[in-house]
Amino acid sequence: DLPYASLSKALDLANSLASAATPVTIFISAGIYIENNSAGPLTVTSEGISIIGDSQAAVILMPNTPTNDFLVINQTSYISNATC
């Protein structure tokens, strides 16, 4: 009902809620999302997080600092229908 404007914000909440027993799915609507990775990469630290976009051609995730790592995944995760 109240979507977050960034994947970073959604991941912060998902990392605090998700587990293997209680998975969390982040759905991303069509658009171009420029994520702030200047202080470090967006990180998945909890098991059970899925990131699913509307379609691979419609969801584009981009870092604002291309020379830094963009995404670090430390747990088994599922990512689909997004272009990074």
Side-chain angles (χ1 to χ4, degrees), residues 3-65:
Y4 294 113
S6 70
L7 177 58
S8 176
K9 180 67 174 172
L11 279 174
D12 287 346
L13 182 60
N15 281 323
S16 70
L17 297 174
S19 71
T22 57
V24 171
T25 300
I26 298 170
F27 292 105
I28 304 176
S29 296
I32 298 172
Y33 299 88
I34 300 172
E35 298 288 335
N36 184 0
N37 68 325
S38 60
L42 282 65
T43 305
V44 175
T45 59
S46 296
E47 193 173 354
I49 295 177
S50 296
I51 301 169
I52 301 176
D54 270 347
S55 76
Q56 188 172 9
V59 176
I60 299 172
L61 303 171
M62 299 173 56
N64 72 344
T65 307

